[in-house]
Amino acid sequence: MRRAAVQAFRTTFQYTARGLGRRPFTTSLPTTAARRLLSSTSTAACRTLKNHSNATGIPPPLLENINNNNNSLPLPPPLQSSMYYRRASVVLASALVGYGAWYSYNGTDVNNVPVKRGYSTTTITDTSTADTSLPTRNVLVISADQLHTGTIVGDGPISKTTSEDGTRVIEMLNPEQATEKLRKLEESYLVNRGQGVVRYDLVQLPSNDPIEDDHTEKIIEMQPATSEKGGNDWMFWGVFDGHSGWTTSAKLRQTLVSFVARELNQTYQESNNDLSGPGVEAAIRKGFLKLDDEIVNQSVQKVMRANNKTMAAELLAPALSGSCALLSFYDSRSKLLRVACTGDSRAVLGRRTESGKWTATPLSVDQTGSNVDEASRLRREHPNEPYVVRNGRVLGGLEPSRAFGDASYKWTREISEKLRKHFFARSVSPALKTPPYVTAEPVITTTRIEPERGDFVVMATDGLWEMLTNEEVIGLVGKWIDAQQQKVGKQSGLFDSVWSRTFGGGGSSKDGPGGLPVEVSKVEEVEGQKTPFRGVRQWGGNDGFVVEDANVATHLVRNALGGKNREQVSALLTLPAPFSRRYRDDLTVQVIFFGEGEGEGRGEVVVNREASKGVKGEGARAKL
């Protein structure tokens, strides 16, 4: 959940910079790793490099350093740029190569202290002396604030020993291994119930270890109230973006739908089986708040009564960590979709227009300290507290302004200190005066779904929206749908006929931004709504996106990491925790496809094996 402002840069080997501070920016191979990997570098090889300086564009001062057998290769400050990816090739003897194609970004660490990070691509070959019988392997050189990719020749082990400056050298996943890792936690289900939903896909990609995200999908069968009315489905999908640990998001996976469903059932009975009124939103809101009260307040009461540290560890863990929650509830009878958002995960509706393109309509608003409405609410509820929102964070620390758990922002100072004395709790912020500052109360939107038009909804934790815009996400799903339609058109199964009838017709020949079949939204974005800032989006032009996955959620994550740039995708998937958090967050993505199925109201929900590499065993079943 840590956030940082990020800039993408394109660099060339020059000594001028635009838009940057004047602080020297120097990057070098780690001394220990350089000696190990560049042991075969000779003076003759350096002369060869110098002879190629006109071709590579490396300035004479850099060549002079290399000629003097200096293992440190200083780089100039990077030029500010947009999303292009440039490579500079050099000739160096059988090992790691000269540096090219740098991009850097400025961010902040957990204490909001500016840090400099970067990513480079390097290549080395010496066609005159290299042993062509030896394998060539790609590696990552990971330092404290930089990431480089490179090549080594040979079949010996690659050292993973941490050097004095914290640098590691690890072998990079090849494209096939990267795809296997990307698809490890994917699931897909075909819904043949005739209730307005035909399929949903999901995938998770950890960055933290263990992953702090979680998710849930449930279908509740509602029995017919009278002989004249058939039964209907209540369908739930949820993504939970945890922070400071995984326990809160796990608690939401286990219990949130149950809390909400109980409140909805009471409203359903009181309203004569009608869920089209305003009471539905009140019921969802009540379910959210009841669960958070159990996590934050009732847990303290139980711990105090029991006076047992083992019980305290179990009960207080979900309170001390935190989690955002995004829950969608679809009532098949009314065809209304309610999206309840607590925090900064996001849901976006995709709907096809008459032109054949898709439109992206956000169904939630990111709730952070940077959201003007949220910041105003907090200042209104806590007057005379100038630091209630600082640097876009609650009390200068927590970015989401609404969340489950995060009890250190909800407990009084007295409760926190008592728990710390007898059990354990987080330290109290000096700015804490009038808690609670954070609430689990959701903001709820209601949308009428049109299954006959092939509507779909993308739900994802903010790790996806850090990399892709709403339009890019919807356009990528549209591009995937077009590719699936071509394949489905050659088949004749029951699901295939439903899919073809719902999503057939293809996109417009006039593609939108990025070569995607999507229209640019004319709706003014809410101030504070996150826009992509991660520096990994380095492709340029209209050919950076790719369709390779049968699971559409996996397809979105692949393109968020680099799309056709296989090397970049492999590098980002190779990164181990916790270093990977500097470049990507935990990712959880769900995509729900609405449509008119063939079922009679009680059809099956089956695993779609083709797009479910993460579902193991024949006993795995969809949630009913």
Side-chain angles (χ1 to χ4, degrees):
M1 295 298 302
R2 189 175 58 206
R3 304 289 179 266
V6 178
Q7 294 173 299
F9 296 95
R10 178 180 62 201
T11 60
T12 58
F13 289 102
Q14 300 176 10
Y15 281 95
T16 58
R18 293 172 292 153
L20 294 175
R22 295 305 176 198
R23 198 178 88 177
F25 180 79
T26 303
T27 303
S28 61
L29 281 173
T31 303
T32 305
R35 288 173 181 164
R36 186 181 298 116
L37 294 172
L38 299 177
S39 58
S40 59
T41 303
S42 64
T43 304
C46 293
R47 290 196 200 99
T48 303
L49 178 59
K50 185 173 183 179
N51 292 336
H52 284 77
S53 62
N54 289 337
T56 61
I58 302 178
L62 180 57
L63 291 173
E64 198 62 37
N65 277 337
I66 298 175
N67 253 343
N68 293 332
N69 293 322
N70 186 349
N71 282 334
S72 179
L73 305 181
L75 288 179
L79 293 178
Q80 187 173 4
S81 170
S82 55
M83 305 188 320
Y84 291 93
Y85 193 73
R86 178 175 294 177
R87 183 189 302 267
S89 297
V90 297
V91 177
L92 195 58
S94 55
L96 195 64
V97 194
Y99 293 81
W102 276 80
Y103 74 74
S104 302
Y105 62 82
N106 291 321
T108 57
D109 65 8
V110 70
N111 296 315
N112 293 322
V113 178
V115 295
K116 179 88 68 178
R117 304 180 186 125
Y119 174 92
S120 69
T121 300
T122 62
T123 309
I124 308 186
T125 31
D126 182 353
T127 56
S128 62
T129 61
D131 186 348
T132 57
S133 65
L134 294 176
T136 299
R137 292 178 291 171
N138 294 326
V139 296
L140 285 182
V141 182
I142 306 171
S143 63
D145 58 0
Q146 298 291 345
L147 170 66
H148 326 301
T149 66
T151 310
I152 42 177
V153 178
D155 55 4
I158 298 175
S159 173
K160 296 186 180 181
T161 304
T162 302
S163 63
E164 293 179 358
D165 61 359
T167 298
R168 298 179 63 187
V169 179
I170 61 176
E171 186 166 3
M172 193 161 71
L173 299 174
N174 61 39
E176 291 73 25
Q177 292 169 326
T179 292
E180 182 179 354
K181 182 173 182 178
L182 193 62
R183 296 177 178 175
K184 183 178 180 180
L185 298 178
E186 69 176 7
E187 300 178 38
S188 176
Y189 298 93
L190 307 179
V191 185
N192 184 32
R193 297 177 58 78
Q195 298 289 322
V197 176
V198 296
R199 171 175 172 170
Y200 57 90
D201 289 11
L202 66 102
V203 74
Q204 287 193 292
L205 179 65
S207 185
N208 293 294
D209 185 16
I211 186 172
E212 295 180 345
D213 283 5
D214 221 316
H215 64 91
T216 189
E217 305 80 32
K218 293 187 185 296
I219 299 176
I220 298 176
E221 299 179 355
M222 300 302 295
Q223 299 300 322
T226 65
S227 58
E228 291 81 15
K229 294 183 179 180
N232 62 302
D233 284 347
W234 288 0
M235 304 185 186
F236 297 88
W237 300 270
V239 294
F240 312 121
D241 186 358
H243 48 267
S244 302
W246 55 269
T247 53
T248 313
S249 59
K251 178 76 171 181
L252 298 184
R253 168 177 51 82
Q254 296 165 350
T255 58
L256 181 58
V257 170
S258 297
F259 270 74
V260 171
R262 280 199 295 267
E263 300 302 325
L264 286 172
N265 186 54
Q266 183 173 346
T267 301
Y268 184 68
Q269 295 175 352
E270 294 173 352
S271 61
N272 193 26
N273 305 332
D274 180 18
L275 284 184
S276 60
V280 177
E281 294 188 6
I284 295 173
R285 190 174 294 110
K286 189 175 181 179
F288 272 55
L289 292 175
K290 275 190 172 182
L291 176 55
D292 192 55
D293 180 67
E294 179 180 286
I295 293 172
V296 174
N297 299 318
Q298 295 181 36
S299 62
V300 173
Q301 297 172 12
K302 293 176 182 178
V303 166
M304 293 298 188
R305 286 197 299 267
N307 194 27
N308 182 290
K309 288 189 175 182
T310 302
M311 179 178 290
E314 178 181 347
L315 292 177
L316 295 181
L320 294 174
S321 59
S323 180
C324 301
L326 182 69
L327 185 71
S328 289
F329 163 58
Y330 179 68
D331 174 38
S332 64
R333 177 175 295 168
S334 66
K335 297 183 179 179
L336 294 178
L337 178 75
R338 272 86 172 191
V339 176
C341 181
T342 291
D344 57 3
S345 297
R346 190 184 305 170
V348 181
L349 170 71
R351 176 169 289 171
R352 199 193 293 273
T353 65
E354 297 300 326
S355 68
K357 294 182 182 180
W358 298 86
T359 58
T361 304
L363 303 181
S364 64
V365 175
D366 303 344
Q367 300 157 9
T368 69
S370 297
N371 181 310
V372 174
D373 292 338
E374 285 295 286
S376 298
R377 176 182 64 81
L378 283 166
R379 292 190 177 101
R380 187 170 57 251
E381 293 175 355
H382 304 275
N384 303 319
E385 294 188 47
Y387 298 113
V388 65
V389 178
R390 185 174 57 176
N391 298 326
R393 296 171 180 266
V394 180
L395 301 185
L398 184 66
E399 185 171 18
S401 54
R402 302 183 187 228
F404 283 85
D406 286 317
S408 58
Y409 293 87
K410 299 174 182 178
W411 287 333
T412 63
R413 185 178 297 273
E414 290 73 22
I415 289 177
S416 293
E417 291 177 348
K418 188 173 182 179
L419 289 172
R420 280 173 60 85
K421 180 179 179 180
H422 296 284
F423 305 102
F424 45 82
R426 298 190 184 278
S427 58
V428 182
S429 169
L432 186 116
K433 295 180 179 179
T434 57
Y437 293 91
V438 176
T439 178
E441 181 177 358
V443 176
I444 303 172
T445 62
T446 301
T447 304
R448 185 170 297 278
I449 296 298
E450 300 179 14
E452 67 278 3
R453 296 181 62 175
D455 288 354
F456 64 85
V457 169
V458 178
M459 299 172 56
T461 53
D462 71 319
L464 182 71
W465 311 108
E466 291 175 350
M467 297 181 177
L468 296 171
T469 66
N470 294 349
E471 283 76 17
E472 285 173 331
V473 167
I474 297 304
L476 280 165
V477 177
K479 187 180 183 75
W480 180 88
I481 288 174
D482 292 343
Q484 293 298 304
Q485 183 60 26
Q486 295 176 11
K487 181 178 68 173
V488 168
K490 302 176 183 179
Q491 304 173 9
S492 57
L494 175 61
F495 174 76
D496 299 324
S497 64
V498 173
W499 183 271
S500 181
R501 184 175 65 251
T502 304
F503 296 100
S508 170
S509 59
K510 297 181 179 180
D511 287 335
L516 300 173
V518 64
E519 295 182 355
V520 178
S521 175
K522 297 180 181 179
V523 179
E524 186 175 348
E525 287 190 359
V526 176
E527 188 173 353
Q529 191 88 339
K530 284 189 176 65
T531 56
F533 64 80
R534 291 285 186 181
V536 298
R537 303 170 68 236
Q538 291 298 303
W539 55 81
N542 293 337
D543 60 350
F545 299 118
V546 66
V547 180
E548 294 183 6
D549 303 285
N551 186 301
V552 67
T554 306
H555 161 74
L556 289 175
V557 173
R558 180 188 297 276
N559 283 283
L561 297 179
K564 285 186 179 179
N565 191 333
R566 290 175 177 267
E567 183 181 54
Q568 182 173 298
V569 173
S570 293
L572 291 172
L573 288 170
T574 300
L575 282 170
F579 190 88
S580 58
R581 280 293 283 112
R582 300 183 179 185
Y583 295 87
R584 60 179 178 85
D585 199 353
D586 291 333
L587 288 161
T588 299
V589 182
Q590 295 175 332
V591 184
I592 304 106
F593 293 103
F594 297 92
E596 299 294 351
E598 301 287 346
E600 295 299 326
R602 289 295 181 269
E604 292 183 345
V605 179
V606 299
V607 175
N608 176 15
R609 293 288 175 185
E610 180 187 13
S612 297
K613 305 301 181 186
V615 179
K616 307 297 182 183
E618 294 300 321
R621 291 186 57 81
K623 291 87 172 173
L624 264 177

